[in-house]
Amino acid sequence: MKVLIVGSGGREHAIAASAAKSSKVEKMYCAPGNAGIEEFAECVPIGAMEFEKLVAFAKEKSIDLCIVGMDDPLVGGLVDEMEAAGIRTFGPRKNAAILEGSKAFSKDLMKKYHIPTAAYENFTDPDAAIAYLETAKFPIVLKADGLALGKGVLICQNFEEAKEGVRTIMLDKKFGTAGNEMVIEEFMTGREVSVLSFVDGKTIKTMTSAQDHKRAGDGDTGLNTGGMGTFSPSPFYTKEVEEFCSEHIYQATVDAMAAEGREFKGVIFFGLMLTEEGPKVLEYNARFGDPEAQVVLPRMKNDLIEVVEACIDGTLDQVDLQFEDNAAVCVVLASEGYPVSYEKGFPIQGLEEFNKHEGYYCFHAGTKLQDGQIVTNGGRVLGVTAKGKDLKEARANAYAATEWVQFENKYMRHDIGKAIDEV
Ligand code: AMP
Ligand code: GLY
């Protein structure tokens, strides 16, 4: 098969690495890809939102399977355009990707189908939002409705902060049109767990659990980022939690989407909060998590292409999804100053070490090839992943491997996976 992957981050690198193990794959392309993905796929300089060019490229190369990794093209309807051109494509169509594309939609869906989530109200009028906040309980959470690079969520401690937040989202349009509508929801406390799943429209099969670290600094301080590191599995995702979610959340979401005429095929990412009242949905994403994919996919035993095809064909019920009985930790190496401002273009040394060690991976997020040398090209630069027999060993291995890589401005958190010491 000729496979085209759409995206350019660590997630797409992890997808490419996993797909490359499939005997079904003859040739892989990635648009636009990055310097690390080149190892597995020919990268083509077409942006993920350049739908016409992507479709033309897929037709020209007779692509047998397109995998869309990123949220923007999914929400924008790339799957529909590819399918209209006769290209088999993995990912939700536009009318289903709205599960991630509109937080107001997903909240209303959960309410209508009794899927546990935080209490909320949706607003299109800033004055009405401010009036609501006058009598609200704090802290409270404001969310821009649309896609905002994971940054459209504001946790506000008091009325003044929240009023300012409404202004930022709805009037200043800090997140663009994503702020045309807004969700105001109850603040929840508890452990967060990410559960990714494969969905074929009817059947859902969950993957092994993971946990992300969203804040920039150690001890969960500093600004929210795209994710500074992950571990898998989460020891807090117990059998009991899994059973509750299977009964009240996973299949219920797939069935709700089908009942709404929005059949979902692809990956549903459940962002869960384990509250005292039980697990609740924080958010849905319509794709693999990043950097969750970097710890989940290396542990998957199945042939990724076979699973993806089962999702497209509606035969996922026949797939026995299996994960290795071990653990993985991913530590993101970022550019100092991320997520605010940072310099790029520094040469990266030591990447060859990863080819010499089994169970170690270096997924590229923001890198590019410049005059034959791989250089930093983004806030999040690399995701260093290592496996181990358990989480502690995986964490020690991952941190040891971060020392193999050198570049100017290298920044990382030192407490990825620290929570596992509490169990
Ligand atoms: P989201 O993009 O909706 O996952 O939100 C990003 C992050 O904000 C989550 O991972 C949580 O850490 C936090 N968050 C979102 N919603 C809530 C909530 N209702 N209560 C507490 N924290 C939240
Ligand atoms: N790691 C969170 C996300 O992919 O949105």
Side-chain angles (χ1 to χ4, degrees), residues 212-216 225 227-229 330-332 334 338 411 413 416:
D212 190 9
H213 298 65
K214 288 205 165 102
R215 301 292 203 95
T225 70
M228 293 300 295
C330 171
V331 179
V332 169
Y338 172 73
Y411 171 81
R413 275 183 64 163
I416 302 301

Side-chain angles (χ1 to χ4, degrees), residues 5 10-19 21 67 90 196 198 207-210 232 267 288-289 291-305 307-308 321-324 326 328 361 363 385 387:
I5 299 171
R11 165 184 46 220
E12 286 73 28
H13 194 177
I15 292 171
S18 196
K21 291 190 291 185
I67 301 176
F90 178 68
L196 317 188
F198 290 104
M207 301 177 223
T208 181
S209 61
S232 171
V267 171
F288 285 103
E292 282 87 346
Q294 288 94 307
V295 284
V296 169
L297 287 175
R299 299 184 53 229
M300 191 167 102
K301 289 188 186 171
N302 303 67
D303 179 321
L304 176 65
I305 299 297
V307 181
V308 157
L321 200 59
Q322 290 205 2
F323 287 82
E324 292 169 0
N326 55 12
Y361 310 78
F363 296 117
T385 295
K387 293 189 200 174

Side-chain angles (χ1 to χ4, degrees), residues 103 118 141 143 150 153 155 185-189 192 214 224 273 282-283:
K103 290 189 191 286
V141 185
K143 298 185 175 184
V153 174
I155 295 171
E185 78 176 22
E186 166 203 6
F187 177 77
M188 302 189 285
T189 53
E192 287 185 41
K214 288 205 165 102
N224 258 327
M273 176 84 91
L282 272 173
E283 66 161 344

Side-chain angles (χ1 to χ4, degrees), residues 34-49:
N34 64 37
I37 295 173
E38 292 277 4
E39 183 188 342
F40 304 105
E42 187 179 328
C43 295
V44 288
I46 305 176
M49 293 306 284

Side-chain angles (χ1 to χ4, degrees), residues 102-105 108 120-125 142-146 152 169-170 173 176-184:
S102 167
K103 290 189 191 286
F105 168 87
D108 287 346
Y120 77 101
E121 293 283 340
N122 295 336
F123 295 92
T124 49
D125 171 16
L142 311 187
K143 298 185 175 184
D145 173 58
I169 293 175
M170 300 193 92
K173 293 275 157 82
T177 53
N180 288 351
E181 188 166 4
M182 196 177 79
V183 177
I184 300 186

